[in-house]
Amino acid sequence: MELAGSYSKQAHLLNRLVKTSQRAGEEVRRIDPEPDPRRTSNDRKKPTRAETAEMVRRYLAGASLAELKVEHHMSKNTVAKILRDAGVTIRPRGRRKGQLVGRPPRTTHVL
């Protein structure tokens, strides 16, 4: 019974198991559930001023939201919110005309 208490975080399932065991004749002590270990909004990592300044600098230099989310282990929406809160205007999605990525476009030769 103690082993089940360390694996399951759902109190109603543990209490049901305790009642079933008691009906079967075992001596079992009641297991109180532990607090939910999931993160709450209060314990999420907030970037420091230096991290925010670095994110702003990199974004204005051309880094994408996707690149910044990977570097800072945050969702793209969180990165965008931090940048907007810092006064940065978010660029529209996709490449703009004339922006090259990777190799240059192929040219066709007319004979």
Side-chain angles (χ1 to χ4, degrees):
M1 289 305 289
E2 292 181 29
L3 183 63
S6 65
Y7 284 102
S8 178
K9 300 296 181 202
Q10 298 182 1
H12 72 280
L13 292 177
L14 288 174
N15 289 333
R16 188 172 168 187
L17 180 62
V18 168
K19 288 177 185 178
T20 303
S21 297
Q22 286 172 345
R23 278 187 262 148
E26 293 181 14
E27 277 194 34
V28 178
R29 66 179 179 93
R30 185 183 177 111
I31 301 170
D32 291 326
E34 296 176 12
D36 193 358
R38 288 181 280 182
R39 297 172 83 173
T40 63
S41 61
N42 292 336
D43 59 354
R44 288 199 176 106
K45 179 187 172 224
K46 293 185 175 101
T48 62
R49 288 184 186 189
E51 288 173 325
T52 301
E54 178 65 15
M55 289 171 73
V56 168
R57 185 192 66 75
R58 295 235 325 111
Y59 186 75
L60 294 177
S64 68
L65 291 176
E67 291 169 348
L68 293 173
K69 82 172 185 141
V70 170
E71 292 173 12
H72 294 278
H73 307 285
M74 297 176 177
S75 73
K76 196 163 73 169
N77 288 334
T78 303
V79 171
K81 182 181 182 320
I82 290 168
L83 291 173
R84 277 193 303 271
D85 290 347
V88 176
T89 301
I90 303 300
R91 296 187 296 264
R93 292 177 48 176
R95 287 186 281 156
R96 292 177 295 286
K97 290 181 181 178
Q99 182 182 9
L100 296 178
V101 175
R103 64 187 176 113
R106 293 187 296 185
T107 57
T108 56
H109 298 285
V110 179
L111 298 176

